[in-house]
């Protein structure tokens, strides 16, 4: 959620840090700041609002002759947890001596107790409302007697509980950054005569493509010439270099007006890539590094699919297809509920975590809860080397590439793709589907990228509909079976980027209460792609039509009957019922995008939202 960037080396640290912070803006934030070691002191500047406010502050001071030339510094973009967004609550935070500065991502859970102790014992006067300032004050106290910054940092971490990644600089140990990782992302970038730290890869891509992934509990000490990693007992750690294959452009918009639109159009390639990497020479599925043998699968009594946000309806599709093909019971849960209901998990449980960022703390915590009860953990993740990936027994990567827009699109459809591949592998391995069915469904899956690319060639009808319907202040999404799962995702897309109050419900449930809300003109998006449920769905459409609803239906090409009951119909390419979610979600993504555009919303960075929610 918060962005961290640090630099030690030969360049002007201020420029490198501000540039890195801008590449993390997509993660969502409400204030920004920078701390630089110079002339025996630590200069800190923080500003609420966008990074450009901080730049303006720095430029104004520079024009008044204040120099910010420095070769060691840290910077931060904050997404408020404790303390409202404000200048004083923005990071970096300093200790009372002004010789230590920190930037922090996460939550210090025992910060109240630590604040009381520091105030009582050391008469520390806290300036901000944040939990993070406690880290700076604590290190500042330990620095009084420590031989090095890392000694003081290590001592401070022994007093802290919670989830955090933080970075520290000090004018008492000036050419160094010390950073620590516990349940929040942290990487170190390897340069020549310069080194970096950051919370996410895009921040460093302009300067380096070789990085160290810092593991939980580890401390990293960074100077211009060295990067040293230590485990939680301060033993030196040898870490493999991770070579980043993305380039800066891949993380840029490539000519699209928004990252979200770019990522919607990248879906054919992303789905194709996610499939292609799992096919052997004979065109059969091999789960690249995951061994789920017949014995393994036969031993599974229950599968939990646990996720948050868009990944949850992806899990609903996963449930449908895994139960249909592998005949293994599947439960789907939101992570924030799973971990607190003492779930029935044991050694015969397969826990599947779905997470684009791999840093969602609710999902990570649920994974740990399941693991502690003996479950085998398989995660479906987009960010390579993320926390969820590193704590899983097996990882099934969605090869979607960097997803920058807060609203998930290509990550969602590649998550679905992974569900289909897993279900097909399980069904074939268990013999619960025939070879004929296996090959037929896999062949149909491989046709989806082409069908989707064809559909995306002309989507002007969706844009035209958005121009008519964007003023609605409430929208319903309904469907049955797989269409219900997609309705949830379509509703989430619309609400999170257009701020319209949208609501999804299984169509059969309408008559149990929600239909009371139907008024003449109420906009209802109806998904009617499931041949097997079509007649039932038609009845539901007639129910709401009879009450004056404005019906916008998504149906498979060739289904003309639905037109008589709809105000408008959006057709998707024909395909097997099981695979329609990979296609039917895309007009809903585009509808959300076009409506948000008409409403002048901040599409890539919606208000109050972040790309990765690393707090509870
Ligand atoms: C979806 O469009 C949102 N960005 C959000 O709900 C997201 O899906 C959720 O926060 C989970 O994120 P994750 O997939 O990175 O775990």
């Amino acid at each position: 959620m918060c962005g961290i960037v640090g630099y030690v080396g030969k360049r002007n640290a201020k420029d490198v840090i501000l540039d890195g912070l801008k590449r993390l803006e997509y993660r969502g934030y409400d204030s920004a700041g920078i701390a630089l070691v110079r002339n025996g002191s630590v200069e800190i500047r923080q500003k609420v609002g966008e990074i450009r406010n901080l730049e303006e502050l720095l430029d104004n001071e520079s024009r008044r002759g204040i120099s910010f030339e420095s070769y060691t510094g840290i910077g931060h973009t904050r997404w408020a947890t404790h303390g409202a967004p404000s200048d004083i609550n923005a990071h970096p935070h300093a200790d009372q001596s002004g010789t230590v500065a920190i930037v922090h991502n996460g939550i210090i859970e025992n910060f109240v107790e630590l604040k009381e102790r520091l105030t009582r014992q050391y008469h520390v006067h806290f300036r901000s409302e944040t939990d993070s300032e406690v880290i700076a004050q604590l290190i500042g106290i330990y620095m009084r007697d420590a031989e090095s910054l890392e000694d003081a940092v290590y001592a401070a971490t022994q007093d802290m509980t919670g989830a955090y990644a933080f970075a520290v600089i000090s004018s008492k140990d000036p050419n160094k950054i010390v950073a620590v990782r516990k349940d929040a992302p942290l990487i170190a970038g390897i340069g020549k005569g310069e080194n970096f730290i950051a919370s996410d890869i895009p921040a460093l891509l302009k300067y380096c493509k070789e990085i160290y992934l810092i593991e939980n509990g580890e401390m990293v000490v960074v100077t211009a010439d060295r990067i040293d990693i230590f485990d939680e007992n301060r033993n030196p750690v040898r870490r493999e270099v991770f070579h980043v294959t993305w380039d800066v452009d891949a993380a840029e918009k490539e000519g699209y007006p928004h990252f979200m639109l770019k990522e919607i159009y990248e879906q054919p390639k992303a789905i194709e890539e996610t499939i292609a990497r799992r096919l052997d020479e004979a065109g059969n599925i091999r789960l690249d590094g995951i061994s789920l043998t017949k014995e393994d699968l036969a031993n599974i009594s229950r599968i939990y699919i646990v996720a948050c946000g868009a990944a949850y309806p992806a899990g609903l599709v996963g449930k449908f297809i895994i139960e249909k093909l592998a005949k293994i019971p599947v439960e789907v849960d939101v992570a924030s509920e799973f971990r607190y209901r003492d779930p029935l998990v044991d050694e015969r449980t397969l826990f599947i975590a779905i997470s684009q960022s791999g840093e969602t703390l609710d999902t990570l915590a649920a994974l740990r809860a399941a693991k502690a009860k003996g479950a085998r953990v398989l995660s479906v993740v987009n960010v390579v080397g993320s926390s969820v990936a590193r704590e899983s027994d097996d990882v099934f990567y969605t090869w979607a590439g960097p997803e920058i827009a807060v609203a998930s699109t290509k990550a969602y459809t590649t998550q679905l793709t992974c569900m289909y591949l897993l279900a097909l592998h399980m069904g074939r391995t268990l013999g619960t589907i025939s070879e004929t069915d296996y090959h037929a469904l896999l062949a149909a899956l491989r046709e989806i990228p082409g069908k989707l690319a064809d559909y995306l060639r002309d989507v002007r009808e969706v844009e035209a509909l958005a121009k008519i319907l964007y003023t609605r202040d409430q929208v319903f999404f309904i469907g049955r079976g797989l269409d219900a799962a997609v309705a949830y995702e379509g509703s989430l897309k619309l609400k999170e980027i257009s701020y319209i109050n949208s609501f999804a419900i299984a169509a059969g449930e309408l008559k149990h209460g929600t239909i009371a809300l139907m008024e003449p003109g109420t906009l209802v998006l109806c998904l009617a792609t499931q041949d097997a449920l079509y007649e039932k769905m038609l009845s539901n459409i007639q129910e709401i039509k009879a009450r004056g609803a404005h019906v916008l239906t998504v149906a498979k090409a060739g289904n003309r009957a639905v037109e008589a009951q709809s105000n408008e119909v959006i057709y998707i390419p024909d395909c097997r019922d099981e695979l329609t979610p990979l296609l039917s979600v895309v007009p809903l993504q585009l509808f959300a995008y076009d409506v948000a555009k008409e409403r002048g919303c901040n599409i890539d960075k919606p208000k109050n939202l972040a790309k990765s929610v690393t707090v509870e």
Side-chain angles (χ1 to χ4, degrees):
M1 191 102 48
C2 299
I4 291 175
V5 178
Y7 176 76
V8 190
K10 54 206 175 198
R11 299 177 216 248
N12 188 329
K14 172 172 76 73
D15 299 339
V16 175
I17 291 166
L18 290 175
D19 182 71
L21 291 179
K22 288 175 191 167
R23 297 193 190 282
L24 296 180
E25 287 194 281
Y26 69 86
R27 294 167 64 115
Y29 69 103
D30 47 54
S31 55
I34 188 167
L36 301 165
V37 176
R38 46 179 273 98
N39 300 340
S41 69
V42 173
E43 291 281 352
I44 294 181
R45 298 293 185 276
Q46 315 127 301
K47 201 70 192 141
V48 70
E50 302 206 351
I51 292 168
R52 64 165 175 262
N53 299 349
L54 175 65
E55 284 182 307
E56 204 174 299
L57 172 72
L58 295 166
D59 292 346
N60 290 340
E61 293 203 33
S62 300
R63 276 195 286 276
R64 295 204 306 271
I66 295 173
S67 162
F68 290 101
E69 189 179 354
S70 166
Y71 305 98
T72 303
I74 52 178
H76 189 262
T77 49
R78 177 179 185 242
W79 192 78
T81 53
H82 291 76
S86 66
D87 291 357
I88 198 82
N89 287 333
H91 299 212
H93 291 290
D95 77 315
Q96 59 184 353
S97 72
T99 61
V100 170
I102 66 103
V103 290
H104 166 229
N105 180 19
I107 290 180
I108 305 303
E109 292 187 346
N110 65 332
F111 84 97
V112 173
E113 171 206 327
L114 290 172
K115 269 183 99 164
E116 284 167 1
R117 186 183 114 198
L118 289 166
T119 307
R120 190 177 61 252
Q121 277 184 293
Y122 299 96
H123 311 296
V124 169
H125 170 65
F126 284 84
R127 297 172 61 246
S128 76
E129 304 162 296
T130 68
D131 57 324
S132 307
E133 187 186 347
V134 159
I135 305 171
Q137 300 291 5
L138 205 49
I139 293 169
I141 297 295
Y142 281 118
M143 265 310 263
R144 293 176 181 176
D145 308 320
E147 288 177 10
S148 68
L149 182 53
E150 55 267 37
D151 285 355
V153 170
Y154 182 74
T157 56
Q158 305 312 297
D159 297 343
M160 294 157 40
T161 62
Y164 50 79
F166 65 85
V168 197
I169 55 174
S170 171
S171 52
K172 293 182 175 175
D173 200 347
N175 306 308
K176 183 186 284 181
I177 299 174
V178 177
V180 178
R181 179 218 151 92
K182 183 176 178 292
D183 295 339
L186 185 70
I187 58 175
I190 305 161
K192 290 187 175 49
E194 59 184 6
N195 287 309
F196 310 78
I197 58 109
S199 48
D200 204 351
I201 290 172
L204 305 182
L205 270 180
K206 180 177 170 185
Y207 303 99
C208 62
K209 293 204 159 205
E210 297 192 326
I211 63 169
Y212 290 124
L213 300 171
I214 308 304
E215 300 284 353
N216 244 9
E218 291 180 341
M219 176 195 289
V220 57
V221 179
V222 179
T223 62
D225 303 314
R226 295 177 59 85
I227 297 177
D228 293 297
I229 304 173
F230 302 90
D231 68 16
E232 53 198 351
N233 301 312
R234 302 196 74 182
N235 303 311
V237 169
R238 276 192 54 72
R239 179 64 33 80
E240 286 295 305
V241 172
F242 179 86
H243 300 273
V244 181
T245 54
W246 311 340
D247 56 31
V248 177
D249 294 342
E252 293 305 327
K253 296 177 196 163
E254 288 173 8
Y256 285 91
H258 299 97
F259 279 113
M260 183 177 177
L261 193 62
K262 169 174 174 272
E263 289 151 9
I264 288 172
Y265 278 84
E266 285 178 337
Q267 290 181 114
K269 178 165 65 79
I271 294 170
E272 186 156 40
E273 185 71 16
T274 299
I275 297 170
R277 294 193 186 209
R278 275 76 188 222
L279 298 178
D280 62 19
E281 298 68 38
N284 294 313
I285 295 169
R286 56 170 170 73
L287 297 183
D288 68 358
I290 300 174
S291 118
L292 278 173
T293 64
K294 185 165 186 170
E295 292 68 32
D296 293 334
L297 293 170
N299 184 49
I300 295 172
S301 61
R302 182 200 318 242
I303 295 173
Y304 280 106
I305 302 178
V306 175
C308 300
Y312 172 75
L316 294 174
V317 174
K319 168 183 171 68
F320 174 91
I321 197 66
I322 290 172
E323 289 188 341
K324 180 180 174 74
L325 301 188
K327 308 303 180 204
I328 301 174
V330 179
E331 274 195 54
V332 187
D333 221 336
V334 289
S336 53
E337 288 296 303
F338 175 85
R339 60 186 289 215
Y340 291 114
R341 63 179 176 84
D342 194 15
L344 301 176
V345 173
D346 60 22
E347 292 69 25
R348 298 193 61 204
T349 303
L350 175 62
F351 179 95
I352 299 177
I354 304 179
S355 175
Q356 188 284 130
S357 63
E359 299 300 344
T360 300
L361 191 56
D362 283 330
T363 306
L364 190 57
L367 178 159
R368 288 173 178 162
K371 209 168 181 178
K373 290 187 168 207
R376 175 173 177 176
V377 174
L378 185 154
S379 60
V380 176
V381 175
N382 194 42
V383 176
V384 177
S386 57
S387 302
V388 167
R390 293 213 291 276
E391 298 195 25
S392 300
D393 300 309
D394 301 293
V395 187
F396 203 42
Y397 281 115
T398 51
W399 296 111
E403 185 177 74
I404 307 301
V406 166
S408 189
T409 51
K410 62 178 183 174
Y412 171 78
T413 45
T414 51
Q415 288 163 1
L416 297 186
T417 304
C418 286
M419 294 291 108
Y420 289 115
L421 291 168
L422 276 171
L424 276 162
H425 172 80
M426 291 175 173
R428 188 192 201 195
T429 305
L430 286 168
T432 42
I433 56 172
S434 69
E435 283 295 289
T436 308
D437 289 348
Y438 168 84
H439 288 293
L441 187 52
L442 178 54
L445 178 64
R446 296 180 69 179
E447 289 175 357
I448 291 295
K451 288 176 180 278
L452 184 51
D454 289 345
Y455 171 73
L456 285 169
R457 277 194 234 300
D458 183 0
V459 290
R460 283 168 295 176
E461 64 173 344
V462 179
E463 192 171 9
L465 285 169
K467 285 187 187 305
I468 301 166
L469 301 169
Y470 77 94
T471 55
R472 301 306 175 93
D473 56 12
Q474 182 168 51
V475 179
F476 291 83
F477 290 76
I478 66 171
R480 285 176 173 264
L482 283 172
D483 282 341
V486 177
Y488 295 127
E489 171 54 12
S491 171
L492 175 62
K493 287 285 103 33
L494 185 66
K495 76 178 69 164
E496 71 174 326
I497 65 170
S498 73
Y499 315 140
I500 288 177
N501 177 10
S502 75
F503 178 96
I505 187 169
E509 269 297 283
L510 271 172
K511 55 188 176 294
H512 300 289
T514 304
I515 203 162
L517 297 178
M518 287 300 135
E519 301 288 348
T522 302
L523 177 57
V524 184
L525 272 76
C526 304
L527 288 117
T529 71
Q530 301 296 293
D531 298 341
L533 297 166
Y534 182 69
E535 291 311 319
K536 292 289 179 197
M537 191 59 201
L538 210 49
S539 308
N540 293 133
I541 292 174
Q542 285 160 345
E543 280 164 19
I544 57 176
K545 200 82 183 95
R547 290 162 176 80
H550 183 122
V551 173
L552 169 50
T553 301
V554 176
K556 280 196 279 197
N559 175 351
R560 316 301 297 187
V562 76
E563 290 179 6
Q565 303 300 332
S566 309
N567 293 72
E568 299 94 11
V569 180
I570 296 173
Y571 287 107
I572 59 171
D574 189 22
C575 70
R576 292 176 54 143
D577 269 14
E578 303 94 327
L579 300 175
T580 55
L582 285 165
L583 297 175
S584 61
V585 74
V586 177
L588 304 186
Q589 294 167 346
L590 289 165
F591 182 74
Y593 174 82
D594 290 328
V595 165
K597 194 172 64 177
E598 290 301 318
R599 292 167 73 99
C601 298
N602 185 337
I603 291 172
D604 285 334
K605 292 183 278 176
K607 66 178 176 163
N608 302 339
L609 298 182
K611 185 60 185 170
S612 172
V613 185
T614 55
V615 292
E616 278 203 75

